[in-house]
Amino acid sequence: MKSREIHLTAYPKGEPGPGNFELAEVDIPAPKDGEVLVRNAWLSVDPYMRGRMSGIRTYVDPFQIGQAMEGGAVGEVIESNNPKFAKGDWVLSMNGWREAYVSDGKGLQKIDTSLLPPQAYLHIAGLTGMTAYVGIKRIIDLKEGETLWMSAGAGAVGSAGIQFAKAMGAKVVATAGGKEKCDFCLEIGADAVVDYKDTGNLAKAIREAAGGGVDGYFENVGGSHWTAALEVLKPKGRIAACGMIQRYNDASAQPLPDNLTNIVAKSLMIRGFIVTDHMDMIGDFMTDLAQWMMAGKIQTRETVRDGIASMPDAFLGLFRGENFGKMLVKL
Amino acid sequence: MKSREIHLTAYPKGEPGPGNFELAEVDIPAPKDGEVLVRNAWLSVDPYMRGRMSGIRTYVDPFQIGQAMEGGAVGEVIESNNPKFAKGDWVLSMNGWREAYVSDGKGLQKIDTSLLPPQAYLHIAGLTGMTAYVGIKRIIDLKEGETLWMSAGAGAVGSAGIQFAKAMGAKVVATAGGKEKCDFCLEIGADAVVDYKDTGNLAKAIREAAGGGVDGYFENVGGSHWTAALEVLKPKGRIAACGMIQRYNDASAQPLPDNLTNIVAKSLMIRGFIVTDHMDMIGDFMTDLAQWMMAGKIQTRETVRDGIASMPDAFLGLFRGENFGKMLVKL
């Protein structure tokens, strides 16, 4: 059968554009003994993918020029010669950015679509939700009654994090860009929200919204947000650094004001993390998530684009702030 | 009796100068019932004192204008009406910057001068040594065989830290300013040293000296050193932020290049700390220190000024980099 997939044509310098991608049609061979054929239904679109487009090894290998890109995907097994999988099974994989693939089954995870729609495993019940959970629970170690500042609150990780922190009994101040996104943060439970595009002094606005300082800051943005965080964190405050989208496309060393002495003066803790280093928490996460969902505490929102050809633009849209909740491509 | 002490006359903006201090003579009353009279013999001179001269509350209250400053001191009890202290006892206190004082005994700690000279309790066997120990052992959690970058390696905390890390079985790269200080770092056991005043690319020089990246960075400097640390730390590297002397006298928000995405890309951990929050480690510290000293692994070096009147200039000398090891004033 034929499958279409997105290839990387060149490592972008600065902001990537449509010219960095190419839609290619490939032949998918029939699955051999021990193999399965999977047709993807939903593709995950995530900011971290920008890091793999740099050609530099960070915590994962870079994407290869002229090859299909990779990312989270859920799909249905349409043919199986592997005893572990049956036709009709739904599987989660890293074989995104493509319509179909053949696999020996390694790295495929069967998912239960009777309780949740399949694409939920790409966000709230997947690595996106787990990222928010690990950052809040292990890295920040947020306590009941403490205040969390969740940046990019209307994004996929941010909107999960707002709801998880509320479910844990914390107070949440969110930041987002524009009125519509700010309203969404409040709708899903943030106690207060700051429109960072509409304030001249982010630190002051956060302090007012929080009624004082904050105990934890969930870093998805970098730059101006980082600087403000060092100002508004209380003594012994903690930063979970999960991403810094403001900087991903900016190759120049744009300087920041040096307010680092706050790290010493306030005994702050800052820790970058990658969710896959914390998979020992998956059991706790799934248990908590199921309870919160049954208690009606979790809403999800998706921004959905259609068809494989829309994948590059969906990805570029992340950097234009076009997603509410999780950005997905439906095939 | 009469005692002389140093008063703060004004909160300095930027670099403090002799005009911020005043030598005052005061009358010390005879000790009443329950009180002791102590004559100080050694005064501690530390960079952190700059923070208490800002008029702003950080982790300790600011010094008060027109009052004697405070700091570590060791002295001898010369008269006692308190059953817990005898004439001739040596005590450690925070009643520095003065020749003598009367106390009700609270906050005084008796020290054993049979094994160590009294002033050692102001550096290697005191909070200075403990700061190096806590930073390396708890904050960085340095493992045998790992590589530590110790900044300000010829300073009081730095020179203790180099020797502790070596005693723990780690490799140590030190930085210091000038050939004489660099030689001292090597003499006390650093495996390699970089003269930061003599390199155009600190990160590159550290990488070469370390034969690759470093696992831990002990931050005493800030600014250019911080920026280089984010470059040279290996994945899962740790920074213990104990002080940032490069920035203490600089009120302007001098910008730094934004290389913070390294925190995410390499899962770095950065933690500011104050030694007094970690006093639960004092037993371990004293045990390890005694063993290392008996094994001949610890050398100490002091820079000594004479007389109470020299105290302001000794303090200002810290920012001019005039100390080898611990800066002390002998009375």
Side-chain angles (χ1 to χ4, degrees), chain A residues 58-59 219 222-223 226 235-236 241-244 247-248 252-274 277, chain B residues 58-59 219 222-223 226 235-236 241-244 247-248 252-274 277:
Chain A
T58 57
Y59 49 89
E219 169 68 292
W226 159 274
K236 302 194 180 163
C242 156
M244 297 189 182
R247 296 281 297 119
Y248 287 175
S252 67
Q254 199 178 9
L256 288 180
D258 176 1
N259 63 350
L260 298 170
T261 51
N262 283 320
I263 297 173
V264 180
K266 296 194 282 191
S267 290
L268 305 182
M269 193 286 296
I270 299 132
R271 191 172 159 198
F273 73 103
I274 296 145
D277 282 338
Chain B
T58 55
Y59 50 89
E219 169 68 294
W226 159 273
K236 302 195 181 162
C242 156
M244 296 189 183
R247 297 280 298 119
Y248 287 177
S252 68
Q254 199 178 10
L256 288 180
D258 177 1
N259 63 350
L260 298 170
T261 50
N262 282 320
I263 297 173
V264 179
K266 297 194 283 191
S267 290
L268 305 181
M269 193 286 297
I270 299 131
R271 190 172 161 199
F273 73 103
I274 296 146
D277 283 339

Side-chain angles (χ1 to χ4, degrees), chain B residues 36 38 73-77 84-85 89-95 101 103 105-113 118 121 125-127 279 282 286:
Chain B
V36 292
V38 177
V74 289
E76 195 180 351
V77 174
K84 290 185 192 149
F85 300 91
D89 279 352
W90 279 82
V91 290
L92 174 67
S93 77
M94 284 301 288
N95 300 319
Y101 60 90
S103 163
K106 283 196 194 106
L108 302 196
Q109 185 196 326
K110 271 198 265 193
I111 57 174
D112 181 349
T113 57
Y121 291 90
L127 288 185
M279 295 312 284
I282 193 136
M286 286 303 188

Side-chain angles (χ1 to χ4, degrees), chain B residues 25-84:
Chain B
E25 192 174 77
V26 296
D27 281 310
I28 304 287
K32 290 187 287 225
D33 197 40
E35 290 184 337
V36 292
L37 173 63
V38 177
R39 187 169 54 211
N40 278 332
W42 294 89
L43 305 179
S44 185
V45 190
D46 303 281
Y48 82 84
M49 294 166 168
R50 178 64 183 85
R52 296 188 65 187
M53 295 172 66
S54 67
I56 296 162
R57 192 180 194 297
T58 55
Y59 50 89
V60 281
D61 289 323
F63 294 129
Q64 297 302 307
I65 298 294
Q67 305 272 313
M69 293 179 65
E70 290 166 16
V74 289
E76 195 180 351
V77 174
I78 54 173
E79 204 179 323
S80 178
N81 296 320
N82 181 320
K84 290 185 192 149

Side-chain angles (χ1 to χ4, degrees), chain A residues 186-260:
Chain A
L186 293 172
E187 195 185 302
I188 59 174
D191 296 282
V193 69
V194 170
D195 183 348
Y196 72 85
K197 291 183 174 170
D198 195 36
T199 175
N201 186 332
L202 185 56
K204 186 162 168 275
I206 294 290
R207 226 182 258 285
E208 282 167 10
V214 304
D215 301 286
Y217 170 59
F218 201 115
E219 169 68 292
N220 291 306
V221 178
S224 57
H225 283 54
W226 159 274
T227 305
L230 293 191
E231 297 301 326
V232 303
L233 278 164
K234 293 182 197 172
K236 302 194 180 163
R238 292 88 69 196
I239 299 179
C242 156
M244 297 189 182
I245 198 168
Q246 219 176 68
R247 296 281 297 119
Y248 287 175
N249 293 328
D250 188 352
S252 67
Q254 199 178 9
L256 288 180
D258 176 1
N259 63 350
L260 298 170

Side-chain angles (χ1 to χ4, degrees), chain B residues 124 159-160 163 184 187-189 293 296-301:
Chain B
I124 195 79
S159 58
Q163 298 178 81
F184 174 57
E187 195 185 303
I188 59 173
M293 289 187 113
K297 291 183 177 173
I298 307 293
Q299 303 173 39
T300 59
R301 182 137 166 197

